[in-house]
Amino acid sequence: ELPVEPKSKPLPAAAPSKTIASPLPSNQQSMVHPYNPAEAGEMLDDFVIEAEEMLEALKNGCVALEKAPSKDEVDKLFRVAHTLKGSSGMIGLKAMNTLTHRLEELMDGVRKGTRHVSEPVIDVLLAGLDDLTEILKKVKARAPFEHDIGPMMAKLEAVMSGRPMPVATVAP
């Protein structure tokens, strides 16, 4: 069984990673990555099908993890995220690759027991999946695009360091 953080306690900060540097410098808010789906060539169709399946598995896994945290579920989520990270990297989809890498690091902390399953962790995982889904929608349109993962990376960084997840503001 995994330790579950009570909803009333703040999320403990995990020990900083010594092997993997954060892809988002603390002073950077924007991480815009351009992508041209035509560069993937023949691999694009297979990638889209597999990415849709993996995003669905990740979403279902997060819902299951929220209801009943278990090491098996975290391991499954980690493996799916790892596969999606690799697949997106193979077709040069840096926005998805970078974001999935950071989500994978968050889940790895849970796997290793340095982070607890908590409401902020589940919330940021689901928000990350929303962003990944948006990236995939852009890929499926088969036109060149840019995607800014900066706001999502800021949310991940906040949760991973024990701070509240930033809330997007909308200008009046």
Side-chain angles (χ1 to χ4, degrees):
E1 281 302 303
L2 291 171
V4 176
E5 188 73 18
K7 291 183 180 185
S8 61
K9 290 185 180 179
L11 180 67
S17 173
K18 294 179 182 172
T19 57
I20 302 172
S22 169
L24 179 65
S26 60
N27 63 352
Q28 186 176 347
Q29 292 299 312
S30 178
M31 290 184 72
V32 177
H33 294 289
Y35 185 69
N36 183 352
E39 294 174 11
E42 296 175 11
M43 294 190 301
L44 189 64
D45 290 335
D46 289 337
F47 171 78
V48 167
I49 291 167
E50 291 175 8
E52 286 176 328
E53 291 171 359
M54 287 184 268
L55 289 173
E56 187 67 24
L58 287 168
K59 184 180 88 173
N60 293 338
C62 284
V63 170
L65 189 64
E66 185 175 33
K67 290 179 182 176
S70 73
K71 180 153 178 33
D72 286 344
E73 197 61 52
V74 172
D75 287 342
K76 284 186 222 172
L77 285 170
F78 179 85
R79 285 191 303 272
V80 173
H82 183 76
T83 302
L84 182 59
K85 177 186 75 173
S87 296
S88 60
M90 286 190 63
I91 65 163
L93 186 52
K94 188 170 172 97
M96 185 174 280
N97 179 266
T98 301
L99 179 53
T100 306
H101 176 79
R102 201 67 175 138
L103 290 168
E104 180 187 44
E105 286 180 329
L106 177 65
M107 288 180 269
D108 195 38
V110 175
R111 287 174 72 208
K112 293 177 178 175
T114 60
R115 181 162 316 282
H116 300 284
V117 174
S118 64
E119 187 175 343
V121 168
I122 297 295
D123 288 349
V124 81
L125 286 172
L126 291 171
L129 292 176
D130 288 346
D131 211 34
L132 292 171
T133 300
E134 188 61 34
I135 294 168
L136 186 59
K137 283 180 188 175
K138 292 176 180 180
V139 170
K140 288 168 66 174
R142 298 187 186 277
F145 66 89
E146 290 184 345
H147 189 84
D148 185 2
I149 61 170
M152 187 60 235
M153 295 296 282
K155 291 176 184 180
L156 269 162
E157 293 301 320
V159 170
M160 291 178 79
S161 65
R163 298 185 318 268
M165 190 167 51
V167 177
T169 56
V170 177

